[in-house]
Amino acid sequence: MQALHLSCFTAVSCLGTGLEPTLAALAANRSGLARCAFETAELATHIGAVAGVDDYRLPAELAAYDCRNNRLAVLALEEDGFAEAVRAAAQRYGAARVGVFLGTSTAGILETEQAYRRLDEAGAFVAPPVYEGSHTPYALADVVARHLGLSGPAFVVSTACSSGAKVFASAARLIGAGLIDAAVVGGVDSLCLTTLYGFNSLELVSAEPCRPYDSERKGISIGEAAAFALLERPAGTLPPEAVLLAGVGESSDAYHMSSPHPEGRGAYAAMRAALESAGLCAGDVDYLNLHGTATPSNDAAEGQAVMRLFGRDVPASSTKGATGHTLGAAGALELVIAALTLQHGLIPGSPGSHELDPALDLDYVFTPRRQALGVVMSNSFGFGGSNASVVLRRADAKGHA
């Protein structure tokens, strides 16, 4: 595929609001997970909640979209000069030539949950949920497009935990087809009771902060995040530290509704496809950001695929011990983290993890390393065997300048 420039990007998670606190937390190997005190949840677990979302107010013209998910989205858009960069792109290309492609899982369902707790004696809603503004997943793309003044193609992908990565493939296809010139690409997923109790009922939630790839891992810690990138064709000579989307690979396990293929066949296929899309081989990758949810089956399956493709030759870590598993936003958040690692020569560690599962023979990174990086890959694998791997590279990466 034609490499595309991430001309601006930003992220908000439990590590902080914007790139600077996110990078500082990664460099310090600091986790943002804390004991769950969300809403009415009574669960012995840790979560990655974003501070200040409840108090954030949408602009008056977006009042009909008010919900936690959309507040989180607009909060992130206003960080790191992202909204200004998008509006400048819309001036260059025209608002109809800039698309919006976003991943989420449950979108604004928290407000629907709250509406169902307020029924009258006849069982009718006292305050009905707002379907168009919060309940439907498309509300996310709609509010982002309206806030940024965009009128190009806009849609939401909801393929569980691969959503925020698969949208980069969608955007690259539309830019490659000449239908648009730039795209706002990312993922937003906020905390709600459906995911907390749903994953708990599946016995996938850890009582302690999650420990990806650790021999004593006990499951996931759920988080929330919003992360965005502005994607466009490279214009002229880029600075050395510029980050390019080099390739995307997608696959399906075609195996089980909630369990990954035990040998990681779908994960392997996605990673191979991403390398082929980028015109690279496994030896070109300098760091791998693992999906690494900390469930026994996910880490084992992904680890098998990584061992088969990379062996011990590529440093790898999961950053979910820092951010929690942000579900439909995970692919976008971890792509932004991968972009930061390229620009700053920092391989993140794995807060909470101490001893690698002895069944997995990997160069697993527990504490941050300073190392020049040219090419990184980020994995996102979801329920239903939906997989996506994304390859990023610096503009001055060896052999690709």
Side-chain angles (χ1 to χ4, degrees), residues 203-230:
E203 300 180 341
L204 294 177
V205 172
S206 173
E208 61 185 19
C210 69
R211 300 165 63 178
Y213 277 76
D214 193 282
S215 59
E216 299 296 327
R217 63 188 182 275
K218 295 180 173 64
I220 68 174
S221 300
I222 295 176
E224 62 183 351
F228 298 100
L230 176 60

Side-chain angles (χ1 to χ4, degrees), residues 3-392:
L4 298 168
H5 184 203
L6 277 71
S7 56
C8 190
F9 48 89
T10 187
V12 170
S13 73
C14 64
L15 296 182
T17 300
L19 298 180
E20 185 175 341
T22 301
L23 180 63
L26 294 172
N29 211 31
R30 185 170 66 245
S31 173
L33 300 178
R35 193 173 298 280
C36 180
F38 178 73
E39 241 264 347
T40 59
E42 296 181 355
L43 296 171
T45 186
H46 286 65
I47 61 172
V50 175
V53 181
D54 287 336
D55 298 328
Y56 189 77
R57 292 292 173 263
L58 295 178
E61 65 273 19
L62 299 177
Y65 294 85
D66 186 50
C67 67
R68 186 178 183 87
N69 210 56
N70 293 339
R71 290 196 294 272
L72 182 56
V74 176
L75 173 64
L77 290 173
E78 292 303 320
E79 291 299 318
D80 299 304
F82 190 80
E84 291 85 349
V86 173
R87 291 179 180 124
Q91 287 289 319
R92 289 196 300 276
Y93 302 122
R97 297 289 297 177
V98 183
V100 176
F101 310 100
L102 303 174
T104 191
S105 65
T106 52
I109 202 170
L110 173 65
E111 280 64 26
T112 302
E113 295 168 349
Q114 293 169 337
Y116 270 98
R117 291 209 304 261
R118 298 192 294 270
L119 302 177
D120 63 20
E121 292 182 354
F125 288 118
V126 173
V130 180
Y131 183 82
E132 291 184 1
S134 62
H135 182 89
T136 174
Y138 180 71
L140 172 61
D142 199 15
V143 74
V144 167
R146 289 176 184 272
H147 185 59
L148 298 174
L150 303 177
S151 56
F155 60 74
V156 168
V157 170
S158 187
T159 55
C161 309
S162 64
S163 309
K166 290 178 75 70
V167 285
F168 284 87
S170 301
R173 281 192 284 268
L174 266 69
I175 293 175
L179 297 176
I180 54 174
D181 296 309
V184 174
V185 193
V188 184
D189 228 352
S190 51
L191 290 167
C192 66
L193 300 176
T194 299
T195 51
L196 285 168
Y197 280 102
F199 279 97
N200 186 65
S201 69
L202 292 171
E203 300 180 341
L204 294 177
V205 172
S206 173
E208 61 185 19
C210 69
R211 300 165 63 178
Y213 277 76
D214 193 282
S215 59
E216 299 296 327
R217 63 188 182 275
K218 295 180 173 64
I220 68 174
S221 300
I222 295 176
E224 62 183 351
F228 298 100
L230 176 60
L231 210 58
E232 51 190 322
R233 297 182 188 90
T237 302
L238 297 175
E241 71 278 10
V243 177
L244 297 165
L245 175 69
V248 185
E250 300 173 275
S251 72
S252 172
D253 279 13
Y255 174 74
H256 191 271
M257 283 297 291
S258 58
S259 296
H261 190 285
E263 297 173 7
R265 291 182 183 176
Y268 180 85
M271 290 189 289
R272 282 293 302 267
L275 290 173
E276 291 172 6
S277 171
L280 299 172
C281 62
D284 293 321
V285 177
D286 298 313
Y287 166 63
L288 174 60
N289 187 290
L290 298 159
H291 186 54
T293 62
T295 66
S297 60
N298 175 85
D299 289 4
E302 183 183 28
Q304 292 292 325
V306 172
M307 288 163 57
R308 183 179 167 198
L309 186 58
F310 295 107
R312 288 184 51 85
D313 296 335
V314 177
S317 66
S318 165
T319 47
K320 288 186 173 65
T323 65
H325 190 348
T326 59
L327 307 176
L333 174 62
E334 289 161 21
L335 182 138
V336 168
I337 289 173
L340 287 172
T341 70
L342 279 173
Q343 289 189 328
H344 298 275
L346 173 72
I347 295 179
S350 185
S353 300
H354 304 292
E355 181 178 343
L356 181 63
D357 183 337
L360 302 174
D361 188 20
L362 306 173
D363 179 11
Y364 193 80
V365 180
F366 291 95
T367 55
R369 293 181 191 170
R370 291 288 180 182
Q371 178 180 322
L373 303 171
V375 176
V376 301
M377 177 183 285
S378 182
N379 285 341
S380 299
F381 306 139
F383 271 175
S386 175
N387 308 303
S389 296
V390 180
V391 176
L392 302 181

